[in-house]
Amino acid sequence: MRDIDVWNQQVIAEFRANGGAVGGPLANVPVVLLHNVGAKSGEVRVNPLAYQQLDHGYAVFGSVGGGPNNPAWFHNVQANPKVTLEFGDRIEEAIARVATGDERTRIWEKQKIDQPQFAEYEQRTTRQIPVVILEP
């Protein structure tokens, strides 16, 4: 199992044990568990992600800590946009779509202000970090 997979499993376990609250580097970050279907495997995958509340849904970010490639979950939601969101005490169904243009810029800039580590992630990579909108 990859290090990131081990870390994700630990975060998921902590999230579920504490009604959606996590500590460590995510202590002050709003976290959602994104359930999505693997594009190739067809299996349900779960990823803990930072999110931003929007007027009509949520935004999540394919930052991978500023890694060189987009995360697997990003490819999965492009192939299978029907997702489930787990917020500790509630579950919501949503449809995922990639934000573009002014919408992406507005959400991304706010995320960098709200959670400054995202500005650091942006500096570590040459790719544009995807912003994904999750609409209930």
Side-chain angles (χ1 to χ4, degrees):
M1 188 176 277
R2 299 175 308 159
D3 289 345
I4 189 68
D5 295 329
V6 171
W7 188 81
N8 280 348
Q9 291 305 314
Q10 292 169 341
V11 172
I12 290 167
E14 182 180 4
F15 181 97
R16 289 178 171 159
N18 295 303
V22 294
L26 298 174
N28 296 311
V29 177
V31 174
V32 63
L33 299 185
L34 174 72
H35 299 244
N36 59 90
V37 176
K40 293 180 184 175
S41 71
E43 295 179 19
V44 174
R45 308 286 187 198
V46 180
N47 295 93
L49 300 173
Y51 75 91
Q52 183 185 126
Q53 179 78 50
L54 304 175
D55 289 340
H56 301 287
Y58 313 92
V60 292
F61 310 91
S63 62
V64 196
N69 301 309
N70 289 330
W73 68 259
F74 176 70
H75 301 291
N76 292 343
V77 301
Q78 286 184 299
N80 301 302
K82 293 177 84 171
V83 299
T84 302
L85 309 174
E86 185 178 343
F87 291 96
D89 62 344
R90 72 182 196 286
I91 303 288
E92 290 186 32
E93 303 298 319
I95 302 295
R97 66 176 177 81
V98 178
T100 59
D102 291 342
E103 179 186 44
R104 183 207 176 273
T105 299
R106 178 179 42 80
I107 293 167
W108 179 246
E109 292 303 316
K110 182 176 185 319
Q111 187 66 13
K112 292 190 300 182
I113 292 167
D114 292 350
Q115 300 292 327
Q117 67 271 28
F118 282 85
E120 295 172 22
Y121 303 157
E122 184 176 53
Q123 294 302 310
R124 292 182 196 153
T125 189
T126 58
R127 67 186 171 88
Q128 183 179 66
I129 294 173
V131 174
V132 176
I133 308 299
L134 307 169
E135 296 172 316

